[in-house]
Amino acid sequence: MTRIVVTGAAGFIGSNLIAGLNARGHDDIIAVDDLKQGDKFRNLADLKIADYVDADTFYDDFANGHYGQIEAVFHEGACSDTMELDGKYMMANNYTLSWHLFQACQKRGARLLYASSAATYGGSDTFREDPAFELPLNVYGYSKLLFDQRMRRECGNDFQRTKAGKTHQVVGFRYFNVYGPREQHKGRMASVAFHQFNQFRLDAKVKLFGEYGGYAAGGQMRDFVFIDDVVAVNLWFFDHPAESGIFNLGSGRAQPFNDVASSVVNSMRALQGGAALPLQAIADQGLVEYVPFPDALRGKYQCYTQADLTALRSTGCDHTFVDVQTGVGKYVQWLARHA
């Protein structure tokens, strides 16, 4: 039986990874998390795991061999709040802890597949896994970048987009704007689609930022990637243990926030028996409200992201990513069932 660890197991991506592993018949899974936020238990309640271990005790015990042979660790545990200003806390959680986990994985012969972030690119206009384009805008992005840099150093100059060499498999995924089921606990850091679903239920309209950064209202563009696609790519690398490196994990397609808004509105209207409307009609009918761009985000906000998938495709991973209209449509249906 293959034993697998998922850190951040009760979180958004971690719980979906467990669901994906369960669908393949894997249930010898050690789920690691911190349930101070108790309602996160809901993300684990319908999943099959072998054990739950608190994050405060897991890392030292794992380094000491307490859990026996582990095939792979999916490391999703981190502080993902891009507005967090406590750099000491951020670095301890996202860099130091991850570094110790890497050392333990190498010692124990376990593969490490970990969450990096598109926030490593920050103010760049090129989203390719290259130090020349890594310009984080906040301490969250820097904490993720520093660990990526450490992995490049530890795993050798051939780490990027080549076969695993002197180390056991290490894969870093630079997640772009992930959305989908099981993110309800994230509060302000949940996706735009999640917040707009709830806005429409309460007020029969959704909200978006107005003009900013040279983009018209709602025109800022992001690479939105559906959680099912994120899980599929993680599991592709799990199936290909010779592949190591740092890889963008986005759809490779930039779409405006207006696409998310119109997809949410039209998906909600479809549930109510209404017909789909073009964006202009949605705006004319007051179904979208544009709010002033917040001062707290000025200079710290990515107005455009689009994952360069060249490195990912070079491994042979040919997964097809859904667009916003398809992914948000599926997500709204899920939210409606679980509201």
Side-chain angles (χ1 to χ4, degrees), residues 196-275:
Q196 290 182 343
F197 169 83
N198 287 296
Q199 290 164 3
F200 195 89
R201 287 181 65 217
L202 291 173
D203 302 320
K205 64 181 179 181
V206 302
K207 295 181 180 181
L208 281 179
F209 289 149
E211 179 278 332
Y212 175 73
Y215 291 83
Q220 296 88 1
M221 302 179 75
R222 293 283 183 89
D223 188 326
F224 299 99
V225 57
F226 190 43
I227 185 62
D228 289 0
D229 293 329
V230 168
V231 171
V233 173
N234 269 265
L235 295 182
W236 187 92
F237 278 90
F238 180 67
D239 291 339
H240 295 79
E243 300 291 342
S244 284
I246 297 168
F247 301 96
N248 287 335
L249 212 175
S251 68
R253 179 192 303 110
Q255 293 188 246
F257 281 88
N258 279 323
D259 281 5
V260 180
S262 59
S263 297
V264 170
V265 169
N266 284 327
S267 296
M268 295 293 283
R269 284 174 56 83
L271 291 172
Q272 299 166 358

Side-chain angles (χ1 to χ4, degrees), residues 117-139:
S117 172
T120 54
Y121 299 114
S124 179
D125 59 2
T126 301
F127 304 92
R128 188 164 70 244
E129 304 91 330
D130 186 305
F133 308 117
E134 295 164 354
L135 303 167
L137 292 172
N138 50 45
V139 71

